Amino acid sequence: MSGLPPTFVKGFHDEASVRKMTYNRLGKTGLLLSQLSIGGGTLAPFYENDDEDEAIRAIQYAIKSGVNYIDTAPYYGQGRSEKIIGKALKGIPRQAYYIATKVGRYNMGNTIDEMFDFSAKKTKESIDISLNYLGLESVDILQIHDIEFADSLDIVVNETLPVVEEAKKQGKARFIGVTGYPLEPLKQIILKAPGRFDTVLAYSRYTMLDESLVDYLPFFLEQDLGVICAANHALGLLTNHGAFDWHVAGDDLKKQGRLCGEYCKEQDVELGKLAIWYSAQLKGPATFLVGMATTDIVNINLDSFQNGLNEKESLILTYCLKNFCAKKSHWEGIEIAKLRAAAAKK
């Protein structure tokens, strides 16, 4: 839909910008989300965005411009992302945005045990810590983070999910979601817990490099789940900056991204703009979640969603897809295998 969404607050928003934004129903939640949304992952140190004041300005500017959904997690800087977002939200009308955080994935580390904890005890503690960092009494969506790293999906269903459901009963969350990179575990947990999830977030699975989400999207939509399509820059691969050292993709995939970025820089075009526009052409997801830690990046993304690509950018995108991205690929299984191997050595 176009026009003014329920999150519009007269006197706060830039009404002209809000009217340019598209808003979509998030599955059975009934929430109307802006097609472009804010990802809090880039507020973590591993993205090297250390200007907190600029990040706060970017978040506030994006919300005033009509972006009404924010996603964060304890894992993003071990609370740093939640704290920065909490500061940014001070003074912003609560009506003006929807917000989600997560449980299950926490610390940076070298093994699965150091990074993940799906236990009931940790989940309960995490929810209250996140609300404190955000300065809120409740979030709109509470998500179980990267379920593929759990020892089994049964642990998620029997330990994590009941605590999240109890938090919902207590008014600490309105809806419940699940996130992950591999798509099959997302499908399987939804089948294991029918009707208990409201949203599903898949990241980097519909990009210039990988379109795997297409195979699972009909299932998610048939369940009336709100689909959140995240990390359309493939965790930095599809930007002029390029992949960070920590990126787990294989060399071939990194090479595809690097060649795209180098070509775009030569042509004085930002690959990130092309990447988010490309992903946003997919019909079905309610929103496309992207990190926006600076006002410049917010403007690039707003321009992509509101105005599309110009002729030069369209030609460059076509060239990149044909010459560098023809071989669709992903990094599924690489990270989990590395972490399990490290755990086995301990």
Side-chain angles (χ1 to χ4, degrees):
M1 64 158 285
S2 58
L4 298 176
T7 48
F8 176 75
V9 178
K10 191 171 181 62
F12 168 77
H13 281 105
D14 177 345
E15 183 172 339
S17 183
V18 174
R19 289 189 179 277
K20 291 181 181 178
M21 183 67 69
T22 298
Y23 296 88
N24 303 309
R25 183 177 71 93
L26 183 66
K28 60 189 174 187
T29 71
L31 303 181
L32 286 177
L33 265 55
S34 51
Q35 191 180 24
L36 171 66
S37 50
I38 301 168
T42 55
L43 302 179
F46 41 81
Y47 277 98
E48 300 176 6
N49 289 316
D50 55 4
D51 191 336
E52 182 175 312
D53 290 339
E54 174 61 13
I56 290 170
R57 284 191 293 270
I59 293 164
Q60 293 172 339
Y61 173 58
I63 296 172
K64 287 184 178 181
S65 300
V67 176
N68 72 356
Y69 184 62
I70 311 159
D71 175 278
T72 185
Y75 172 62
Y76 304 150
Q78 289 69 66
R80 183 176 187 266
S81 174
E82 292 177 318
K83 290 175 182 176
I84 291 174
I85 290 170
K87 292 176 183 178
L89 295 178
K90 289 180 179 178
I92 294 179
R94 184 62 180 89
Q95 176 189 337
Y97 61 87
Y98 303 120
I99 187 165
T101 192
K102 308 183 184 79
V103 297
R105 184 169 192 167
Y106 300 102
N107 302 314
M108 293 293 288
N110 297 312
T111 71
I112 283 182
D113 292 341
E114 292 171 342
M115 299 176 70
F116 298 89
D117 189 340
F118 294 95
S119 69
K121 181 176 183 294
K122 178 65 175 180
T123 301
K124 186 175 181 180
E125 293 172 354
S126 176
I127 293 167
D128 290 334
I129 291 170
S130 290
L131 291 175
N132 180 56
Y133 286 165
L134 292 168
L136 299 172
E137 294 183 358
S138 68
V139 292
D140 296 284
I141 305 172
L142 188 56
Q143 304 165 107
I144 304 176
H145 199 175
D146 289 354
I147 57 165
E148 68 269 23
F149 291 95
D151 288 338
S152 76
L153 294 183
D154 289 336
I155 292 173
V156 176
V157 172
N158 296 327
E159 283 213 41
T160 323
L161 183 55
V163 176
V164 173
E165 289 174 326
E166 181 60 27
K168 179 181 176 182
K169 289 179 184 177
Q170 294 171 350
K172 296 178 181 180
R174 297 172 64 191
F175 303 104
I176 297 171
V178 62
T179 85
Y181 181 67
L183 294 159
E184 185 60 26
L186 293 174
K187 179 178 179 179
Q188 291 306 316
I189 201 164
I190 289 160
L191 292 172
K192 278 179 172 288
R196 295 169 71 180
F197 290 103
D198 303 297
T199 68
V200 58
L201 181 155
Y203 70 92
S204 299
R205 300 317 296 257
Y206 192 83
T207 72
M208 293 166 60
L209 300 170
D210 177 15
E211 297 178 345
S212 303
L213 181 57
V214 170
D215 296 330
Y216 287 81
L217 191 56
F219 170 78
F220 295 146
L221 296 176
E222 285 166 7
Q223 305 297 311
D224 204 12
L225 292 163
V227 179
I228 299 161
C229 187
N232 310 112
H233 299 126
L235 303 183
L237 275 178
L238 293 169
T239 65
N240 284 11
H241 178 284
F244 291 87
D245 291 340
W246 49 260
H247 205 295
V248 298
D251 290 341
D252 186 58
L253 200 58
K254 287 181 178 178
K255 180 180 179 181
Q256 292 180 61
R258 184 175 68 253
L259 291 173
C260 283
E262 289 171 353
Y263 181 70
C264 286
K265 281 187 279 189
E266 290 172 2
Q267 303 298 318
D268 195 28
V269 165
E270 172 51 56
L271 173 58
K273 181 182 179 183
L274 310 187
I276 189 65
W277 183 89
Y278 179 84
S279 294
Q281 303 316 297
L282 179 64
K283 304 302 180 185
T287 191
F288 296 85
L289 193 69
V290 58
M292 295 186 278
T294 70
T295 51
D296 285 344
I297 293 176
V298 173
N299 279 321
I300 288 171
N301 288 307
L302 286 173
D303 183 36
S304 178
F305 276 81
Q306 295 175 350
N307 303 311
L309 304 183
N310 61 36
E311 184 177 359
K312 177 182 177 181
E313 291 166 339
S314 296
L315 289 172
I316 292 170
L317 173 60
T318 299
Y319 185 88
C320 287
L321 291 170
K322 180 180 179 181
N323 292 279
F324 308 133
C325 305
K327 182 182 176 184
K328 303 296 182 186
S329 187
H330 54 74
W331 61 86
E332 188 171 317
I334 294 176
E335 184 179 16
I336 194 166
K338 180 180 177 182
L339 291 174
R340 290 198 186 283
K345 290 180 181 179
K346 286 203 164 185

